[in-house]
Amino acid sequence: MCLSPRVADEKFFRGGTISAEPRINDRIRVPEVRLVGPNGEQVGIVPIQKAMELAREADLDLVEVAPMARPPVAKLMDYGKFKYESAMKAREARRNQAQTIVKEMKLRPKIDPHDYETKKGHVVRFLKAGDKVKITIMFRGREQSRPELGYRLLQRLAEDVTELGFVEFAPRQDGRNMIMVLAPTKKKSEAMAEARAERAARKDRDGESDAPEAAETEVDTAPAE
């Protein structure tokens, strides 16, 4: 069985279609197209030869943008420029993509005040960055008979950071540990945008160069003794 030029161009195979790029110029093999001008204006249904002639006169490409329409829709554009701008937009979208990370912080039920403030500071920083925080209270020996100590500590921490996060996963005993998950009140994308704005404002204020920032130091999440 012979494949039509349209089918051959789309490279059909058993189980699906290998879709590469839209057909352009002389690869568009249909009698007529619904033509769209370079500024989005509707030209109307024209023979493919006429559409090609208009593309050559305007020094543009004829690009099939809706192949399944009847007749197919084609647009006059600079296809090379279009591909470049699309690639840049996709790259920017990937760079700004927000991915929430779950950080972990471990505490002991009898943590001293200084260590508590240090650990709380890390939790605050994580939440400000738009990340979730898994808080683990680790019980040892006879501490396991006093789960209320861990519960009160988790409640205290949740109240101390209530402006930045909320309890997404309530405290729950898990063997020798008690676990709670805090989620940020701001979305990751919002936190990233605010952080970028703060860095830009700081550079403008302090006259800093555009040199890349140092990598963030890893936080020691080992339990306090």
Side-chain angles (χ1 to χ4, degrees), residues 5-154:
R6 185 183 185 88
V7 172
D9 270 353
E10 293 177 350
K11 301 178 184 177
F12 271 79
F13 71 101
R14 182 174 297 178
T17 303
I18 301 176
S19 178
E21 298 179 351
R23 297 188 299 184
I24 65 173
N25 300 327
D26 56 2
R27 291 184 58 209
I28 304 175
R29 302 171 183 173
V30 293
E32 58 186 14
V33 295
R34 185 178 298 278
L35 187 62
V36 179
N39 298 316
E41 65 274 19
Q42 297 290 330
V43 178
I45 298 175
V46 299
I48 188 64
Q49 294 83 359
K50 178 64 175 178
M52 291 292 299
E53 181 181 338
L54 292 173
R56 284 192 295 268
E57 291 175 355
D59 195 23
L60 295 171
D61 297 301
L62 182 66
V63 183
E64 190 179 48
V65 295
M68 302 308 295
R70 291 293 181 268
V73 179
K75 184 176 181 180
L76 298 175
M77 68 172 74
D78 183 336
Y79 188 57
K81 180 181 178 182
F82 171 76
K83 284 185 64 178
Y84 174 79
E85 292 177 347
S86 297
M88 290 300 99
K89 289 178 181 179
R91 179 180 177 183
E92 184 68 14
R94 287 194 299 270
R95 188 174 70 86
N96 294 331
Q97 187 176 18
Q99 181 178 3
T100 301
I101 299 173
V102 179
K103 302 286 188 175
E104 183 171 13
M105 187 62 58
K106 297 179 180 179
L107 295 82
R108 292 290 305 283
K110 295 181 180 180
I111 188 171
D112 67 59
H114 174 74
D115 285 340
Y116 173 79
E117 291 300 321
T118 299
K119 301 285 187 178
K120 184 180 75 174
H122 294 326
V123 173
V124 167
R125 182 160 57 86
F126 294 149
L127 292 173
K128 281 185 176 180
D131 295 319
K132 296 182 181 182
V133 189
K134 176 184 176 182
I135 313 295
T136 302
I137 304 293
M138 301 191 306
F139 297 94
R140 293 181 180 175
R142 288 179 295 179
E143 291 175 347
Q144 296 181 62
S145 63
R146 302 286 305 280
E148 69 277 7
L149 295 177
Y151 184 78
R152 284 200 296 265
L153 181 59
L154 291 176

